[in-house]
Amino acid sequence: MGRERMSITMLSILLFVAFLILYEFDVISNSKKIPDIGDLEEKRQMPKDPITSLPWQISRAGIITCDPSRYEYDICSINGPNVLSPNISTFFAMDPTNSIQSTPSIEKIKPQPRKTLPHIMSKVNELTLISGGPKGPKCEVQHNFPALVFSTGEFTGNFWHDMADGLIPLFFTAKSFFHDQDFVMVIDQSYDYWINKYRDLLHGLSKQRIIRMDQETRTHCFPRAIVGLIRHGYMTINPNWLPNPMTLHHFHDFLVKTYGHGGRNQHTVSHQPRARRRPRAVFIRRHHGRVLYNYAEVKRAMEETGFEVIEFEPTMETSMHESYAIFSSCHALIGVHGAGLTHLLFLRPGTLLLQIVLIGQDNPAKNCYKTPALEIGLEYIKYKISIYESSYMEKYGKDSVVFKNPKSFLKGDSIKEYYDLYIKNQDVTLNLTRFRPYLEETYEKAKDLMDRLP
């Protein structure tokens, strides 16, 4: 009898290994080409799937259910007890009958919501979810709360990506699946920088200890798990695609609740009598890519217009509390298109955002900053530079395709070329005569805001 049981077990294991091999072959042979960024810009405006097909409405028929149809992300649900083996990046759904099934169910997922960027996703670890087959490993750490599993992957160290690809999707996924219930964050490819910088925000979402898969050796058990994060596009959220309709306002309120209790930074406080006060404008400074060559002259023009100017050059070490104190007390935010403008999330409704947009940056400028700015109630002003203000004027000449048809660089495999050309390496020298009317408009609106707010 013992030999028969052993033979059955060995047969099950052999079948399981054969299934894995066939599964991997099928995945590789049926891989699909990711659309290029030109298609991405068009399709992003439309839901790929009908509004009746939503992640939390996945059929609960199986122990593991996945939805790979989302345009931005994949998401899976383990609908019952499971055990994580971090050493092999695998979740095993625990069969309550303790039986060994001859045909296991296996799902693969990269839990970072940037499916449209294959060069990034290739560096994100793949997790395996298994139900059935050989029994999973013994549980060493038991958790009483469900798990939310995601990867910080390649998008860390840049404030826009930290928010748009990490914290905003994390916030809305947690609120959609767990409502006010606590949960355990399980983070793959975690970084000390990210954990430390955003610790207060993470603690505001969950009181449980964070599980960092790359630093764990023990197995962990959860009553259920969600693997993956919801993302609806550039720093935005569509309330129609959520079970509890929420907008970016809710995330803004979450930031206020987290950072708004501290005192203001000394650099943001005006010591002038109220009658002589000037509206405060934060001026973002950059030293690498999209450099404003005549920064000092522009700052002087801002001061001559009437602003109290606060220079701000964020780094990875800049405290979130310090940043919040600066931006939440200003009346205008001015800067060249770039990650520093992500601090618009700290601004009070009615604050002015003046974005300086370089050649070829119209879509990123709109999607990354204009849309979220309007969504949380900011005033928005766009200054689009002329070709004569671009650093490329001397290099390429006014008749170059670089100026006449930026969209021609949005084809096939040229996404990196587009990024390097228009986003990364282009610099600017503002024509102050042309720029000054935009400053004056921003000043008048900021002064009106100052009269209504502190």
Side-chain angles (χ1 to χ4, degrees), residues 125-397:
N125 289 342
E126 187 174 62
L127 305 185
T128 302
L129 316 181
I130 299 176
S131 64
K135 189 177 180 181
K138 180 181 178 182
C139 179
E140 295 176 288
V141 181
Q142 179 67 55
H143 298 272
N144 296 321
F145 296 95
L148 177 55
V149 187
F150 61 97
S151 171
T152 54
E154 292 299 303
F155 283 132
T156 52
N158 175 290
F159 190 49
W160 186 86
H161 286 296
D162 285 349
M163 286 289 172
D165 300 317
L167 293 163
I168 292 175
L170 173 60
F171 175 82
F172 286 106
T173 305
K175 295 299 182 182
S176 295
F177 283 99
F178 301 120
H179 304 286
D180 295 325
Q181 179 188 5
D182 211 350
F183 62 95
V184 179
M185 291 186 201
V186 179
I187 308 177
D188 193 25
Q189 293 175 280
S190 61
Y191 298 91
D192 291 342
Y193 148 80
W194 197 86
I195 297 291
N196 293 331
K197 188 176 182 72
Y198 303 114
R199 188 174 299 278
D200 290 338
L201 282 177
L202 300 177
H203 186 70
L205 287 173
S206 169
K207 306 301 181 187
Q208 305 303 309
R209 182 177 76 86
I210 295 172
I211 306 300
R212 301 174 67 176
M213 283 181 59
D214 38 349
Q215 296 184 8
E216 287 287 329
T217 58
R218 297 180 299 173
T219 60
H220 292 258
C221 296
F222 306 94
R224 67 185 182 98
I226 299 296
V227 186
L229 296 177
I230 296 170
R231 186 179 188 271
H232 290 165
Y234 297 126
M235 208 158 77
T236 188
I237 204 73
N238 189 327
N240 295 322
W241 299 348
L242 296 174
N244 305 305
M246 292 180 288
T247 68
L248 204 59
H249 268 290
H250 293 85
F251 184 72
H252 179 269
D253 292 343
F254 177 56
L255 294 175
V256 173
K257 181 179 178 181
T258 303
Y259 300 117
H261 56 78
R264 290 180 179 171
N265 184 280
Q266 60 178 347
H267 299 296
T268 69
V269 178
S270 174
H271 299 289
Q272 297 177 345
R274 186 172 182 85
R276 296 174 56 191
R277 280 178 52 204
R278 295 177 294 160
R280 292 183 296 278
V282 177
F283 191 22
I284 303 291
R285 185 162 198 165
R286 298 181 59 91
H287 283 292
H288 305 287
R290 283 157 279 157
V291 174
L292 180 55
Y293 286 147
N294 58 339
Y295 179 91
E297 289 82 358
V298 176
K299 179 188 174 187
R300 190 178 308 116
M302 291 171 61
E303 292 171 335
E304 291 170 354
T305 301
F307 282 112
E308 174 189 345
V309 180
I310 302 165
E311 296 183 69
F312 187 77
E313 185 177 351
T315 68
M316 290 175 65
E317 290 73 33
T318 303
S319 160
M320 291 285 282
H321 287 275
E322 177 186 355
S323 298
Y324 181 86
I326 292 172
F327 286 91
S328 65
S329 64
C330 76
H331 306 99
L333 168 57
I334 299 174
V336 176
H337 171 81
L341 296 185
T342 310
H343 290 89
L344 68 87
L345 293 168
F346 293 164
L347 301 178
R348 296 170 291 183
T351 304
L352 274 295
L353 171 61
L354 172 53
Q355 179 177 200
I356 299 166
V357 181
L358 309 192
I359 303 299
Q361 295 179 356
D362 295 87
N363 277 338
K366 174 187 175 183
N367 294 328
C368 295
Y369 302 112
K370 176 184 177 181
T371 298
L374 297 177
E375 191 170 336
I376 63 173
L378 306 183
E379 290 263 5
Y380 178 79
I381 297 175
K382 169 185 172 181
Y383 178 77
K384 175 66 178 295
I385 71 167
S386 70
I387 62 175
Y388 299 98
E389 295 170 277
S390 170
S391 61
Y392 287 162
M393 178 62 185
E394 184 176 347
K395 183 175 181 179
Y396 295 105

Side-chain angles (χ1 to χ4, degrees), residues 393-447:
M393 178 62 185
E394 184 176 347
K395 183 175 181 179
Y396 295 105
K398 64 184 178 73
D399 296 323
S400 170
V401 67
V402 168
F403 295 125
K404 290 189 173 182
N405 190 14
K407 290 185 177 180
S408 66
F409 291 86
L410 296 174
K411 294 180 180 177
D413 298 324
S414 63
I415 296 175
K416 185 178 186 304
E417 183 181 2
Y418 170 85
Y419 174 82
D420 288 343
L421 186 63
Y422 293 107
I423 305 298
K424 185 177 179 181
N425 296 316
Q426 185 180 188
D427 299 318
V428 59
T429 301
L430 291 186
N431 179 328
L432 292 180
T433 301
R434 185 170 180 265
F435 184 61
R436 197 176 291 273
Y438 293 82
L439 272 183
E440 292 172 350
E441 179 185 1
T442 303
Y443 171 78
E444 291 300 326
K445 291 183 176 181
K447 189 172 183 299

Side-chain angles (χ1 to χ4, degrees), residues 7 74 98 115 225 275 379:
S7 298
D74 292 334
N98 291 320
K115 283 169 59 175
E379 290 263 5

